[in-house]
Structures are given as structure tokens and as C-alpha cells.
Amino acid sequence: MASEALLPAVIHRRRPVWAEAGLAVAVGMVLADASVVVLALPDMLTALDATVTGISWVITAFNLALALAAVPAALAARRLGPVRVEAAGLVVFAAASAAAGLAGDLGTVIAARCVQAVSGAAVVCAALELLPVVARSPERGTRLWIGAAAVGSAVGPAIGGVLTQALSWRAVFAVQVPLAAAVLVPVIAAWRVRVVPRPSTAPLRLAPNLALALVSAALTAALFLLVLMLVDGWGMDPIAAAAAVSVMPATAIIASVATRLRVRDVALSGAILVGGGLAGLALLPDSEVVWTVAPQVLIGAGLALTLGPLTTAALGGLAPDGLHGGWTVAFRHGGVVLGLLILTPLFTADLDSQEMAAERAGAAAVIDSDLSIQAKLRLGQGVADALANSGTSLPDLHPVFAAQHPSASDRPEYARLEAELTDQARRAGTHAFSRSFLVAAALALAAIIPLVYARLREEGA
């Protein structure tokens, strides 16, 4: 009887087949949506004629609305029934995804993203009430919810990059429509499952929630700024960038085995790893993808060692209080918003200053070259036009040099200049993100403070 009192619900004896998998996919889909558009942003920037600050709200608005709607969604799931709230959330999420994919202007996209977030909050919070009931055990259901949330957040940018280059940025939203409809089927199959949430009497667990918010703010740099650096700073294709950032989720999945061990202060170790990985990205010696691998391994391992244990601690264990789940989602995505609001203006300002430095260095290289005065003027004007038309992305200088039609004797000098200017642009793109990565590393390490404080209070009690 004592163990039954810990269960989050009265369980119907017939567990619906596939409901467990469907709910896990639904949670992963919603939380992947928080970052899935990252690699689509450059295309959206051009297609919607937006500014960098404006386009960043495609991500910020989603996370802000999700954070604000999480607790009300958890309350609605308790009062109206989690199956009803889950099903309604999936239907509205699919409709909002279709609206975002068909939008013709930035305002419509952002409005649709807000609706996605509010309905997504309903999906995620209702799933926390349902999964412990329909899974093979309450503990397994909670682990699935936590794991789906972590995996969804980590793989979002890679999935979005593949869809953007293979189809278009609109495909990032369009693919969510049939996916939401597909997972609706097993949710409806769970309609007869009787769920009676246990009363919410435990106090809010502030320390793990604060730490989760700070780690989430730091991970914004890894999931948002890293891919922007690869695409806009280094000129990589979205699919290549998606492959490059897959190191993080792959490492997180491998490292997640450690979270099952009873390791003391595992979240502290994870925060240190995330901070170290972000500091490594800030200190890259060159603009080559291989240098990002080791920092990504540290971040991926840190992600596995922080998100899971901190979420479990915030929920109060593996027999969770659904209302605490709402607060945990609110803190987590509030942290993402904090990271975006701190880091976006920082890297935007640094990008402008580095672009000007690259222009001056490029002009000096052209002037000091062995080309004739007329050739220098033509090439300098072509490079200046390419930089002016590149927006926030790394300019492709090859067409500029090809348009010069150099003589056979001048070709080696043109080739040297092209390599030098391209390298300067890539270095500028790398340095533009350095300060933001360092600030993100500080946010990750700041997560140690509430954890240590809570531990000291426990030991002093």
C-alpha cells in the first residue's frame, strides 16, 4: 500500500499498446521544435526579408511561450484529464505547424510559433501524467519522458539542417504535421486509461530547477550559436553542419549510461563539462570542423550528466508530481530564453566588429598584392560588394575572383589572395562567436552555485 501511494495515478489494468512510444515521440517532437529551426534561420532570414534580431525571435518566442504556458498546461492536464489535453495539444500543434510552414512573413511565423509552444506545453505536461501510467512501470515512464526531452533538444538542429537543405525551411514545419497526427493515434488508444493525479503537496525544488535553467541557458550557445558559426561564419552547407553537430547528441546518448549509476554530484560534473566544452569553442585555434569535435564531446557528455539528473531531482524522483513537471519545463525553457537574450545581442555586435576588421584586412591584402592598380581596384570593388551583399553569412569570394579573368601570369597571385581573404573571413567568423561562448561557459559553471548551496544545506540539516 505504501508503494502504491507514491504512484502518480490509479492505473487501468489494460495498458494500451504503442501509447508509451507515441507519447515519448510526442515529447521529443515538441522539445526538438525549440531548436529545430536553428539551421533554417539563414534561409528564413533571406526569404522573409528579416533582420538577425527579428529572426532570432523565431526561437525566442517559442521558448518564452513554452515557459509561460507550462504550469497552466500542467494544471489543465490535472483538471480536464491528461488524455484530452494531450490530444487537443497535438491537434493544435499540427495546425500551428502547418500555419508556420505556409507563412509569408516573419510576424505570421512568430505568431504560429507561439501557438506551437502553448499547445506543445500541453503535450509535454500531459505526457508526464500519462507516461508513468501507460508504461511498463511508473519509473520507466518518467525515464522515457526525461530521455525524450533530452534527445529531442539535442537532435533538433541536425534534423532541421537536413530538412532545410534537402527541401526548404518550410519543410521543418511541414514534417511536424503528419508526425503529430501519427502520434495522436496511440494517444486516442489511451482514452480509457483512468488517471487520477496524486495531490501536489511537496514544495517546489528550487535548487535543481535553477541549475537546470542556467545549464539550459548555456546549452543555447551549443545548440544555437555553434550551428550559426558553422553556417554563417564558416560557410558550411546545412547538411554538413548538421553532420558536424551530431557529435553532441551521439556523445550524450553514450554518456547517458552514466546517469543510471548512483554517482554523487553527477550534475556538478556535468556542469563543469558543459562549461569546459563551451570554453573550448571560444578558444578554437582554427576554423576547421575537427577542432569542434573535442568541445562537442565535452558538451554532449555534460548534457547527459546534467539534464537527466537535474530533471529527476526537480521532479522529486521517478514517481513525479505532474505540477512539478510544469515548473521544470518553465525553468528549463526560461533558461533558454535567458541565454538567447544575453547571447544574441552579444554575438551580433561582435559579428559587426569582426566584419569590419575583415574588410580592413582584406583591403590591405589587396593593396599589398603584386597586381596592377586597375586589377586591384576591380578586385577590391568586387570583394566589397560581396561583403555588402552577404548579410550575416560568410561571403563566397570564388565568383568574385573568377569574374576577374586573370591572365596566366596573374593566376597564382589571384589564387593566393583568394585563399588569404577566405581564411581571414573564416577567422573573423570564428572570433565573432568567441565572447558569446565564454559567457555561455560562465552560465554553465554558475549552475554549480545552487547545487552546492543545496548540498551544504542538506549536510547542515
Side-chain angles (χ1 to χ4, degrees):
M1 294 295 291
S3 62
E4 290 179 0
L6 295 176
L7 296 180
V10 175
I11 302 176
H12 191 279
R13 294 300 177 190
R14 290 182 133 184
R15 183 172 58 86
V17 180
W18 301 117
E20 178 182 314
L23 288 166
V25 170
V27 171
M29 174 187 68
V30 169
L31 296 183
D33 207 47
S35 58
V36 74
V37 298
V38 169
L39 281 168
L41 292 182
D43 283 2
M44 295 175 71
L45 187 71
T46 302
L48 301 175
D49 193 24
T51 63
V52 173
T53 302
I55 208 72
S56 71
W57 278 97
V58 175
I59 296 178
T60 305
F62 180 93
N63 284 282
L64 180 60
L66 183 59
L68 294 175
V71 174
L75 290 170
R78 291 185 149 224
R79 293 176 182 174
L80 303 177
V83 177
R84 289 186 181 89
V85 171
E86 182 79 19
L90 285 168
V91 170
V92 176
F93 186 86
S97 299
L102 295 171
D105 60 84
L106 181 61
T108 304
V109 172
I110 292 174
R113 290 283 285 168
C114 290
V115 177
Q116 275 189 310
V118 172
S119 57
V123 170
V124 171
C125 294
L128 183 58
E129 297 281 3
L130 280 170
L131 266 171
V133 177
V134 302
R136 279 169 262 176
S137 71
E139 293 80 8
R140 173 182 168 82
T142 307
R143 285 195 183 97
L144 278 173
W145 188 86
I146 294 171
V151 171
S153 299
V155 303
I159 293 172
V162 172
L163 288 172
T164 298
Q165 186 163 347
L167 299 170
S168 78
W169 67 266
R170 297 183 186 277
V172 173
F173 300 109
V175 75
Q176 298 175 36
V177 179
L179 186 57
V183 297
L184 183 62
V185 175
V187 169
I188 293 174
W191 202 270
R192 293 186 179 182
V193 173
R194 186 165 169 249
V195 182
V196 182
R198 62 189 178 97
S200 181
T201 56
L204 177 67
R205 294 162 179 84
L206 194 55
N209 275 306
L210 283 174
L212 187 62
L214 289 167
V215 169
S216 298
L219 287 171
T220 301
L223 299 175
F224 175 49
L225 295 187
L226 175 58
V227 292
L228 285 184
M229 183 179 75
L230 296 179
V231 174
D232 286 350
W234 295 3
M236 292 179 64
D237 292 332
I239 286 182
V245 299
S246 65
V247 173
M248 263 186 295
T251 305
I253 292 170
I254 295 170
S256 63
V257 176
T259 64
R260 300 181 184 179
L261 305 176
R262 295 182 180 274
V263 180
R264 184 180 177 88
D265 297 330
V266 67
L268 287 172
S269 303
I272 293 170
L273 288 174
V274 172
L278 289 167
L281 290 175
L283 302 172
L284 294 177
D286 199 358
S287 54
E288 296 293 338
V289 173
V290 67
W291 293 110
T292 71
V293 172
Q296 285 194 72
V297 168
L298 292 177
I299 294 169
L303 187 153
L305 297 178
T306 52
L307 292 190
L310 287 177
T311 302
T312 302
L315 293 176
L318 293 177
D321 179 335
L323 185 56
H324 282 181
W327 280 110
T328 299
V329 173
F331 272 92
R332 176 173 169 169
H333 290 274
V336 174
V337 174
L338 174 67
L340 289 169
L341 292 179
I342 292 173
L343 299 176
T344 300
L346 191 63
F347 95 83
T348 301
D350 287 349
L351 197 61
D352 289 339
S353 64
Q354 288 294 328
E355 183 179 348
M356 288 189 289
E359 288 178 3
R360 290 194 297 267
V366 172
I367 291 171
D368 292 339
S369 69
D370 294 333
L371 301 177
S372 66
I373 295 296
Q374 293 81 0
K376 290 177 181 180
L377 291 174
R378 288 196 304 270
L379 180 58
Q381 186 60 53
V383 171
D385 291 343
L387 288 169
N389 296 328
S390 65
T392 60
S393 300
L394 176 73
D396 183 4
L397 297 179
H398 182 70
V400 175
F401 279 86
Q404 304 305 308
H405 303 295
S407 63
S409 60
D410 284 340
R411 282 173 192 165
E413 183 66 2
Y414 275 97
R416 184 192 66 79
L417 275 174
E418 181 178 355
E420 181 179 346
L421 295 185
T422 300
D423 183 60
Q424 286 176 355
R426 286 170 66 92
R427 285 203 305 271
T430 303
H431 294 320
F433 293 86
S434 295
R435 191 162 57 135
S436 297
F437 283 130
L438 283 176
V439 171
L443 288 170
L445 296 177
I448 296 173
I449 297 172
L451 296 177
V452 170
Y453 177 74
R455 178 55 51 86
L456 291 175
R457 288 197 62 181
E458 287 176 12
E459 293 175 353

